[in-house]
């Protein structure tokens, strides 16, 4: 079977589980052949060896069981960088890149802030993207699980920023008890449990629930984070990824309760949904 035929056949099968069946087929064939997309289109009539064909079919079967492409290839691009991922961590999402942009402009605006804490680091994508784009910044990255932190460190090593990030295990701000921080950035679980229950199988069957389910209204973790932050005197700003307007209003209320003079700013994602909240405290 040729490359062109294999792509056509695979894409036809994958249509059952995804709207991006052609792209998924391309990615999986590139992964099988260890070649890039332009190579596929340079040699569309090249024949797959029986071994290559078998490996490709195996990957297609995984995808037909709804396994996300990123877990199959163990790779996801985020903010121009490739991250190793597996089922321990949520696959980095493009909308989270908004958070990075906001933290970078906050730091530029505040000028003298030198410490950022990424709370719930997962794959490490936020802390690592910041480390790659900012100089002279101290970065902490925390998560509740040691196994997840090992994965994040693997990514930091890959991108040569391991020594620039301090990884700490623990609940939200607890591991940072005796350390000064200026900016908090967090993409914590924020789906309401009901929303999590109705996510598509790609998410529900494969991504860790602990990374996504934020309780009844999705705000269990964010509420606790803001509470913990309110007990400290060092924090100048908090940037959070959130899941829409209903959460914005609740977060604004909580923020005003803890910091009566704070200012909040909202950034929308490409679909027009409230996606990032920036709480400026001082
Ligand atoms: C939505 S994922 C985000 C991962 C990554 N920051 C990203 O943007 O792709 C949330 C992360 O928060 C972590 N987490 C959940 N509860 C936590 C807690 N109480 N303290 C610290 N991290 C927690 C999860 O293990 C998960 O890695």
């Amino acid at each position: 079977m040729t490359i062109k035929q294999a792509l056509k056949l695979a894409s036809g099968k994958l249509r059952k589980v995804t709207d991006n069946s052609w792209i998924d087929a391309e990615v999986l064939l590139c992964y099988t052949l260890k070649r890039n997309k332009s190579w596929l289109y340079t040699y569309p009539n090249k024949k797959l060896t029986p071994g290559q064909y078998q490996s490709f079919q195996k990957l297609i079967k995984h995808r037909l069981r709804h396994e996300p492409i990123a877990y199959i290839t163990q790779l996801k691009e985020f903010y121009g960088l490739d991250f190793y991922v597996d089922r321990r961590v949520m696959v980095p999402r493009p909308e989270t890149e908004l958070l990075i942009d906001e933290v970078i402009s906050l730091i530029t605006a505040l000028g003298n802030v030198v410490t950022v804490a990424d709370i719930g680091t997962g794959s490490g994508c936020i802390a690592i993207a910041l480390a790659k784009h900012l100089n002279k910044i101290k970065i902490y990255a925390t998560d509740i699980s040691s196994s997840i932190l090992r994965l994040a460190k693997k990514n930091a090593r890959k991108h040569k920023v391991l020594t620039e990030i301090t990884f700490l295990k623990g609940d939200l701000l607890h591991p940072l008890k005796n350390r000064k921080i200026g900016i908090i950035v967090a993409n914590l679980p924020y789906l309401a449990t009901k929303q999590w229950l109705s996510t598509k199988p790609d998410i529900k069957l494969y991504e860790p629930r602990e990374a996504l389910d934020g309780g009844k209204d999705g705000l269990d973790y964010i509420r606790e984070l803001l509470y913990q932050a309110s007990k400290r005197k060092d924090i100048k700003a908090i940037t959070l990824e959130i899941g829409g307007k209903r959460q914005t209003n609740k977060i604004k209320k909580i923020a005003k309760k803890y910091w009566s003079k704070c200012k909040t700013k909202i950034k929308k994602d490409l679909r027009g949904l409230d996606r990032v909240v920036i709480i400026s405290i001082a």
Side-chain angles (χ1 to χ4, degrees), residues 100-114 116 130 133-135 137 183:
I100 310 290
D101 293 339
E102 285 310 311
V103 174
I104 292 176
S105 54
L106 251 180
I107 287 176
T108 317
L110 288 168
N112 57 349
V113 174
V114 288
V116 178
L130 290 173
H133 286 83
L134 294 167
N135 293 320
I137 288 284
I183 293 181

Side-chain angles (χ1 to χ4, degrees), residues 90 92 96 120-122 125-126 143-144 148 170-172 187 189 210-211 221:
M90 189 186 85
T96 304
T121 199
C125 61
I126 296 175
D143 207 285
I144 197 76
I148 290 178
D171 178 30
L172 303 173
N187 179 16
E210 310 75 57
Y221 295 89

Side-chain angles (χ1 to χ4, degrees), residues 2 6 56 73 94 97 116 147 167 230 258:
T2 65
F56 184 49
T73 60
E97 295 185 351
V116 178
S147 157
F167 291 91
S230 75
Y258 293 142

Side-chain angles (χ1 to χ4, degrees), residues 255-256 259-265 277-282:
K256 278 283 171 205
W259 304 282
S260 59
K261 290 185 183 141
C262 73
K263 289 198 176 76
T264 49
K265 196 169 90 179
V277 183
I278 305 119
I279 306 169
S280 300
I281 297 163

Side-chain angles (χ1 to χ4, degrees), residues 213-277:
D213 182 356
K216 195 164 188 306
D217 66 354
L219 289 176
D220 285 2
Y221 295 89
I222 291 179
R223 227 180 252 113
E224 177 60 22
L225 176 77
L226 295 176
Y227 170 73
Q228 290 182 15
S230 75
K231 301 287 166 208
R232 306 176 59 123
K233 297 270 173 268
D234 52 347
I235 293 155
K236 290 185 164 51
I238 303 173
T239 46
L240 303 167
E241 181 166 327
I242 57 155
K245 195 150 196 84
R246 244 194 293 166
Q247 294 191 340
T248 310
N249 295 335
K250 288 188 179 176
I251 291 169
K252 275 186 177 171
K253 253 195 193 163
I254 301 169
K256 278 283 171 205
K257 182 173 87 183
Y258 293 142
W259 304 282
S260 59
K261 290 185 183 141
C262 73
K263 289 198 176 76
T264 49
K265 196 169 90 179
I266 310 300
K267 288 279 162 178
K268 292 185 187 296
D269 64 16
L270 290 176
R271 286 188 295 159
L273 299 175
D274 286 9
R275 188 58 67 194
V276 171
V277 183

